[in-house]
Amino acid sequence: MKIAIDVMGGDAAPAAEVAGAVSAARQWGCSAILVGDTEKIQQELAKHQTEGLSLEIQHASEVVGMEDSASDAVRKKKDSSIRVAFDLVKQGRAAAVVSTGNSGATMAAGMAVLRRVKGIDRPAIGTLVPTLEGQTMVLDMGANVECKPINLLQFALMGSIYVEQVLGKPRPKVGLLSNGEEEKKGNDLTRETHQLLKETDLNYVGYVEGGDVYNGSVDVVVCDGFVGNVLLKVSEGLAVAIGTMLKREIESRFLAKIGYLLSRSAFNAFKKKINPAEYGGAPLLGIAGTGIICHGSSDPVAISIAIRQATEFAKIRIEERLAELL
């Protein structure tokens, strides 16, 4: 099973992507097709020991930048690394796509090439976040800023299936993100969605607040892409701020340094748990295939985990399960 990797879109492209692919191939035996500028890819591969690893190169002459609009990227750059990667899946040469590039363009390319699962109006980006009880899937995390109630209903269905099939949680609890747990709270979008979700067979528990995202009380949190993206960026910023504040406090006090040395293993475990790299990428749910979107600043560790994640995700074929239920 080969994974097509768009190696040209990230902040450190193609060095980080190539290093991540090499690591995934060496650690877990993953097979990859590196999509992008052949010469640049070969230059990066030369820096690694690749003998015996299943790595191929597929040339793509164009690159989609972060400044490019999603529609223009799909229509005008048909030989972009993102578009070519999805073409490989359509042709049956690859089972999934991993991209560190423009998330909007990745979404648009996936929809244009592989199409949507029948019955899904808008695919969504789902992200696993660490909680007190394990992990929670939050979606949408930025693909759909303007949503209708039916879109959020479909997000809930896709998230529930993902958690059930990938994380192995039967009947996952689904919550709708709002500004309070009472039914009178929320806005028109959340109130209408709330009524729709109550009529489904999903294990819907009602409104949840921001704090519930991390306490593990629900397995799936549903929101529109505007709210989800803000939640994601705030969470990332908070994690960095907490780490920086702890470091400053430890460095400023002698006894704190001694305490750190005694509890270093606990600090390292905590750092690993909140590190986004440990969760790989965000699955693109609702397209008729498998796509994983990584942060543009992803390092080789995060990319290698995303490749392994894509390999496992593709085996499950959630899009078929979703089509059956719809």
Side-chain angles (χ1 to χ4, degrees):
M1 182 174 289
K2 296 179 180 178
I3 307 301
I5 305 170
D6 164 27
V7 303
M8 304 304 296
D11 298 347
E17 288 80 358
V18 171
V22 171
S23 176
R26 183 175 295 129
Q27 289 187 72
W28 304 299
C30 298
S31 298
I33 303 176
L34 307 176
V35 185
D37 186 296
T38 298
E39 184 176 349
K40 292 181 179 179
I41 295 173
Q42 289 175 335
Q43 290 174 354
E44 290 302 323
L45 283 173
K47 301 175 183 178
H48 303 275
Q49 176 55 254
T50 61
E51 185 177 353
L53 303 182
S54 181
L55 299 172
E56 300 178 29
I57 298 175
Q58 174 64 50
H59 182 70
S61 62
E62 297 176 297
V63 177
V64 174
M66 292 297 180
E67 72 283 355
D68 290 331
S69 71
S71 58
D72 285 349
V74 173
R75 295 195 189 105
K76 298 180 180 179
K77 293 186 176 182
K78 295 189 176 181
D79 198 44
S80 68
S81 51
I82 290 177
R83 177 71 183 246
V84 171
F86 277 108
D87 283 336
L88 292 175
V89 174
K90 184 177 182 180
Q91 296 162 12
R93 293 179 54 195
V97 171
V98 171
S99 175
T100 56
N102 184 316
S103 59
T106 302
M107 168 77 81
M111 292 173 60
V113 176
L114 301 180
R115 306 300 181 185
R116 297 186 296 266
V117 171
K118 187 176 181 180
I120 294 296
D121 297 317
R122 295 186 185 181
I125 299 173
T127 297
L128 290 172
V129 299
T131 71
L132 297 177
E133 304 298 329
Q135 296 175 329
T136 290
M137 165 68 74
V138 183
L139 71 167
D140 176 43
M141 296 301 266
N144 304 281
V145 176
E146 299 287 343
C147 290
K148 298 178 180 179
I150 187 63
N151 302 136
L152 297 189
L153 170 62
Q154 292 172 358
F155 297 167
L157 178 60
M158 292 190 290
S160 182
I161 292 173
Y162 183 93
V163 169
E164 182 177 319
Q165 298 292 319
V166 178
L167 300 186
K169 293 183 178 181
R171 294 281 294 162
K173 295 180 180 178
V174 178
L176 180 62
L177 190 60
S178 186
N179 62 334
E181 295 181 355
E182 302 85 357
E183 290 205 4
K184 64 181 180 180
K185 292 294 183 74
N187 53 25
D188 290 341
L189 175 62
T190 57
R191 284 191 287 269
E192 290 181 39
T193 304
H194 176 63
Q195 295 303 319
L196 287 178
L197 286 171
K198 287 199 299 183
E199 298 173 5
T200 69
D201 291 331
L202 295 172
N203 188 10
Y204 177 59
V205 299
Y207 286 149
V208 294
E209 298 181 90
D212 297 315
V213 173
Y214 297 99
N215 65 18
S217 60
V218 291
D219 305 303
V220 180
V221 174
V222 178
C223 57
D224 63 61
F226 180 86
V227 172
N229 195 257
V230 171
L231 172 65
L232 176 65
K233 298 299 172 57
V234 169
S235 300
E236 291 176 346
L238 178 61
V240 172
I242 290 175
T244 301
M245 287 187 284
L246 280 172
K247 183 178 180 180
R248 288 175 179 173
E249 289 298 321
I250 291 170
E251 291 177 344
S252 65
R253 294 177 174 84
F254 175 75
L255 290 178
K257 292 180 181 179
I258 299 298
Y260 169 73
L261 292 175
L262 294 174
S263 57
R264 180 184 297 177
S265 60
F267 275 102
N268 289 339
F270 172 74
K271 182 178 180 181
K272 183 177 182 180
K273 187 169 185 177
I274 66 171
N275 182 8
E278 296 294 327
Y279 298 90
L284 181 52
L285 302 173
I287 62 170
T290 301
I292 300 292
I293 298 176
C294 297
H295 202 289
S297 61
S298 295
D299 61 16
V301 173
I303 294 168
S304 67
I305 294 175
I307 294 170
R308 182 183 64 176
Q309 179 186 14
T311 302
E312 297 303 317
F313 192 10
K315 292 177 182 177
I316 296 171
R317 301 192 68 81
I318 287 181
E319 69 277 8
E320 294 181 359
R321 170 66 173 154
L322 181 60
E324 289 173 5
L325 289 177
L326 289 170

